[in-house]
PDB file of all heavy atoms in Angstrom:
ATOM      1  N   LYS U   2      45.743  46.256  -5.346  1.00  0.00           N
ATOM      2  CA  LYS U   2      46.498  46.905  -6.348  1.00  0.00           C
ATOM      3  C   LYS U   2      46.319  48.410  -6.185  1.00  0.00           C
ATOM      4  O   LYS U   2      45.919  49.019  -7.147  1.00  0.00           O
ATOM      5  CB  LYS U   2      46.279  46.429  -7.710  1.00  0.00           C
ATOM      6  CG  LYS U   2      46.499  44.912  -7.749  1.00  0.00           C
ATOM      7  CD  LYS U   2      47.260  44.537  -9.188  1.00  0.00           C
ATOM      8  CE  LYS U   2      47.650  43.195  -9.076  1.00  0.00           C
ATOM      9  NZ  LYS U   2      48.689  42.838  -9.943  1.00  0.00           N
ATOM     10  N   LYS U  11      54.429  59.288   3.055  1.00  0.00           N
ATOM     11  CA  LYS U  11      55.856  58.987   3.518  1.00  0.00           C
ATOM     12  C   LYS U  11      56.690  58.978   2.191  1.00  0.00           C
ATOM     13  O   LYS U  11      57.863  59.482   2.212  1.00  0.00           O
ATOM     14  CB  LYS U  11      55.890  57.554   4.158  1.00  0.00           C
ATOM     15  CG  LYS U  11      55.302  57.456   5.547  1.00  0.00           C
ATOM     16  CD  LYS U  11      55.343  56.143   5.989  1.00  0.00           C
ATOM     17  CE  LYS U  11      54.488  55.942   7.213  1.00  0.00           C
ATOM     18  NZ  LYS U  11      54.256  54.525   7.599  1.00  0.00           N
ATOM     19  N   GLY U  15      59.652  61.701   1.957  1.00  0.00           N
ATOM     20  CA  GLY U  15      60.988  61.213   1.910  1.00  0.00           C
ATOM     21  C   GLY U  15      61.702  61.578   0.617  1.00  0.00           C
ATOM     22  O   GLY U  15      62.903  61.834   0.647  1.00  0.00           O
ATOM     23  N   ALA U  19      65.195  63.647   0.473  1.00  0.00           N
ATOM     24  CA  ALA U  19      66.358  63.193  -0.115  1.00  0.00           C
ATOM     25  C   ALA U  19      66.798  64.054  -1.316  1.00  0.00           C
ATOM     26  O   ALA U  19      67.976  64.307  -1.409  1.00  0.00           O
ATOM     27  CB  ALA U  19      65.995  61.793  -0.703  1.00  0.00           C
ATOM     28  N   PHE U  26      67.585  60.539  -8.187  1.00  0.00           N
ATOM     29  CA  PHE U  26      66.273  59.841  -7.995  1.00  0.00           C
ATOM     30  C   PHE U  26      66.415  58.454  -7.427  1.00  0.00           C
ATOM     31  O   PHE U  26      65.719  58.038  -6.638  1.00  0.00           O
ATOM     32  CB  PHE U  26      65.639  59.855  -9.363  1.00  0.00           C
ATOM     33  CG  PHE U  26      64.218  59.392  -9.305  1.00  0.00           C
ATOM     34  CD1 PHE U  26      63.238  60.045  -8.669  1.00  0.00           C
ATOM     35  CD2 PHE U  26      63.806  58.165  -9.875  1.00  0.00           C
ATOM     36  CE1 PHE U  26      61.832  59.533  -8.598  1.00  0.00           C
ATOM     37  CE2 PHE U  26      62.666  57.651  -9.852  1.00  0.00           C
ATOM     38  CZ  PHE U  26      61.603  58.396  -9.203  1.00  0.00           C
ATOM     39  N   ALA U  37      57.540  51.800   2.295  1.00  0.00           N
ATOM     40  CA  ALA U  37      56.472  51.144   1.557  1.00  0.00           C
ATOM     41  C   ALA U  37      55.720  50.098   2.441  1.00  0.00           C
ATOM     42  O   ALA U  37      56.411  49.206   2.991  1.00  0.00           O
ATOM     43  CB  ALA U  37      56.927  50.485   0.305  1.00  0.00           C
ATOM     44  N   ALA U  89      60.525  70.580  -4.227  1.00  0.00           N
ATOM     45  CA  ALA U  89      59.311  71.518  -3.828  1.00  0.00           C
ATOM     46  C   ALA U  89      58.120  70.886  -4.219  1.00  0.00           C
ATOM     47  O   ALA U  89      57.093  70.882  -3.409  1.00  0.00           O
ATOM     48  CB  ALA U  89      59.540  72.873  -4.436  1.00  0.00           C
ATOM     49  N   MET U 103      44.426  63.372   6.867  1.00  0.00           N
ATOM     50  CA  MET U 103      43.604  63.916   8.065  1.00  0.00           C
ATOM     51  C   MET U 103      42.210  64.094   7.874  1.00  0.00           C
ATOM     52  O   MET U 103      41.520  63.770   8.770  1.00  0.00           O
ATOM     53  CB  MET U 103      44.290  65.320   8.354  1.00  0.00           C
ATOM     54  CG  MET U 103      45.712  65.206   9.017  1.00  0.00           C
ATOM     55  SD  MET U 103      46.610  66.806   9.190  1.00  0.00           S
ATOM     56  CE  MET U 103      45.281  67.751  10.171  1.00  0.00           C
ATOM     57  N   LYS U 109      36.162  59.369   9.210  1.00  0.00           N
ATOM     58  CA  LYS U 109      35.985  58.109   9.801  1.00  0.00           C
ATOM     59  C   LYS U 109      35.704  58.190  11.261  1.00  0.00           C
ATOM     60  O   LYS U 109      34.710  57.536  11.770  1.00  0.00           O
ATOM     61  CB  LYS U 109      37.278  57.176   9.708  1.00  0.00           C
ATOM     62  CG  LYS U 109      37.473  56.566   8.285  1.00  0.00           C
ATOM     63  CD  LYS U 109      38.717  55.845   8.139  1.00  0.00           C
ATOM     64  CE  LYS U 109      38.945  55.205   6.829  1.00  0.00           C
ATOM     65  NZ  LYS U 109      40.186  54.565   6.657  1.00  0.00           N
ATOM     66  N   LEU U 122      19.927  51.486  18.088  1.00  0.00           N
ATOM     67  CA  LEU U 122      18.571  51.492  17.419  1.00  0.00           C
ATOM     68  C   LEU U 122      18.261  50.115  17.103  1.00  0.00           C
ATOM     69  O   LEU U 122      17.091  49.730  17.309  1.00  0.00           O
ATOM     70  CB  LEU U 122      18.619  52.482  16.318  1.00  0.00           C
ATOM     71  CG  LEU U 122      17.264  52.609  15.573  1.00  0.00           C
ATOM     72  CD1 LEU U 122      16.179  53.231  16.487  1.00  0.00           C
ATOM     73  CD2 LEU U 122      17.408  53.482  14.389  1.00  0.00           C
ATOM     74  N   ILE U 124      19.352  47.261  18.463  1.00  0.00           N
ATOM     75  CA  ILE U 124      19.037  46.627  19.720  1.00  0.00           C
ATOM     76  C   ILE U 124      17.656  46.984  20.122  1.00  0.00           C
ATOM     77  O   ILE U 124      16.900  46.013  20.622  1.00  0.00           O
ATOM     78  CB  ILE U 124      20.089  46.776  20.803  1.00  0.00           C
ATOM     79  CG1 ILE U 124      21.484  46.138  20.177  1.00  0.00           C
ATOM     80  CG2 ILE U 124      19.730  46.172  22.092  1.00  0.00           C
ATOM     81  CD1 ILE U 124      22.682  46.584  21.064  1.00  0.00           C
ATOM     82  N   ILE U 127      14.977  45.312  18.174  1.00  0.00           N
ATOM     83  CA  ILE U 127      14.836  43.862  18.444  1.00  0.00           C
ATOM     84  C   ILE U 127      14.158  43.744  19.770  1.00  0.00           C
ATOM     85  O   ILE U 127      13.139  42.880  19.893  1.00  0.00           O
ATOM     86  CB  ILE U 127      16.266  43.162  18.502  1.00  0.00           C
ATOM     87  CG1 ILE U 127      16.828  43.243  16.986  1.00  0.00           C
ATOM     88  CG2 ILE U 127      16.088  41.829  19.031  1.00  0.00           C
ATOM     89  CD1 ILE U 127      18.251  42.650  16.962  1.00  0.00           C
ATOM     90  N   VAL U 132      10.100  41.423  22.485  1.00  0.00           N
ATOM     91  CA  VAL U 132       9.693  41.470  23.876  1.00  0.00           C
ATOM     92  C   VAL U 132       8.509  42.221  24.201  1.00  0.00           C
ATOM     93  O   VAL U 132       7.540  41.731  24.844  1.00  0.00           O
ATOM     94  CB  VAL U 132      10.999  41.950  24.762  1.00  0.00           C
ATOM     95  CG1 VAL U 132      10.563  41.887  26.256  1.00  0.00           C
ATOM     96  CG2 VAL U 132      12.090  40.964  24.436  1.00  0.00           C
ATOM     97  N   THR U 146      -9.801  41.610  23.152  1.00  0.00           N
ATOM     98  CA  THR U 146      -9.938  42.765  22.118  1.00  0.00           C
ATOM     99  C   THR U 146      -9.234  42.434  20.886  1.00  0.00           C
ATOM    100  O   THR U 146      -8.131  41.813  21.065  1.00  0.00           O
ATOM    101  CB  THR U 146      -9.594  44.004  22.777  1.00  0.00           C
ATOM    102  OG1 THR U 146      -9.632  43.978  24.107  1.00  0.00           O
ATOM    103  CG2 THR U 146     -10.311  45.235  22.341  1.00  0.00           C
ATOM    104  N   LYS U 153      -1.429  44.268  14.047  1.00  0.00           N
ATOM    105  CA  LYS U 153      -1.500  42.962  13.555  1.00  0.00           C
ATOM    106  C   LYS U 153      -0.623  42.674  12.378  1.00  0.00           C
ATOM    107  O   LYS U 153       0.003  41.585  12.342  1.00  0.00           O
ATOM    108  CB  LYS U 153      -2.933  42.737  13.172  1.00  0.00           C
ATOM    109  CG  LYS U 153      -3.447  41.306  12.942  1.00  0.00           C
ATOM    110  CD  LYS U 153      -4.785  41.118  12.898  1.00  0.00           C
ATOM    111  CE  LYS U 153      -5.271  39.728  12.672  1.00  0.00           C
ATOM    112  NZ  LYS U 153      -4.351  38.736  12.344  1.00  0.00           N
ATOM    113  N   TRP U 178      26.109  44.448  -1.209  1.00  0.00           N
ATOM    114  CA  TRP U 178      26.397  44.424  -2.680  1.00  0.00           C
ATOM    115  C   TRP U 178      26.376  45.730  -3.295  1.00  0.00           C
ATOM    116  O   TRP U 178      27.275  46.184  -4.027  1.00  0.00           O
ATOM    117  CB  TRP U 178      25.215  43.542  -3.232  1.00  0.00           C
ATOM    118  CG  TRP U 178      25.456  43.521  -4.848  1.00  0.00           C
ATOM    119  CD1 TRP U 178      26.188  42.668  -5.634  1.00  0.00           C
ATOM    120  CD2 TRP U 178      24.675  44.374  -5.756  1.00  0.00           C
ATOM    121  NE1 TRP U 178      26.016  43.024  -6.815  1.00  0.00           N
ATOM    122  CE2 TRP U 178      25.016  44.127  -6.995  1.00  0.00           C
ATOM    123  CE3 TRP U 178      23.791  45.337  -5.522  1.00  0.00           C
ATOM    124  CZ2 TRP U 178      24.628  44.643  -8.153  1.00  0.00           C
ATOM    125  CZ3 TRP U 178      23.221  45.979  -6.700  1.00  0.00           C
ATOM    126  CH2 TRP U 178      23.599  45.616  -7.985  1.00  0.00           C
ATOM    127  N   LEU U 181      29.643  47.498  -2.458  1.00  0.00           N
ATOM    128  CA  LEU U 181      30.839  47.018  -3.123  1.00  0.00           C
ATOM    129  C   LEU U 181      30.651  47.517  -4.671  1.00  0.00           C
ATOM    130  O   LEU U 181      31.745  47.748  -5.272  1.00  0.00           O
ATOM    131  CB  LEU U 181      30.828  45.553  -3.132  1.00  0.00           C
ATOM    132  CG  LEU U 181      31.195  44.989  -1.636  1.00  0.00           C
ATOM    133  CD1 LEU U 181      31.070  43.409  -1.768  1.00  0.00           C
ATOM    134  CD2 LEU U 181      32.653  45.306  -1.317  1.00  0.00           C
TER     135      LEU U 181
END
Side-chain angles (χ1 to χ4, degrees):
K2 300 218 170 200
K11 289 174 190 169
F26 185 70
M103 285 172 52
K109 283 182 181 174
L122 181 63
I124 292 167
I127 290 169
V132 177
T146 332
K153 190 166 181 355
W178 175 83
L181 293 173

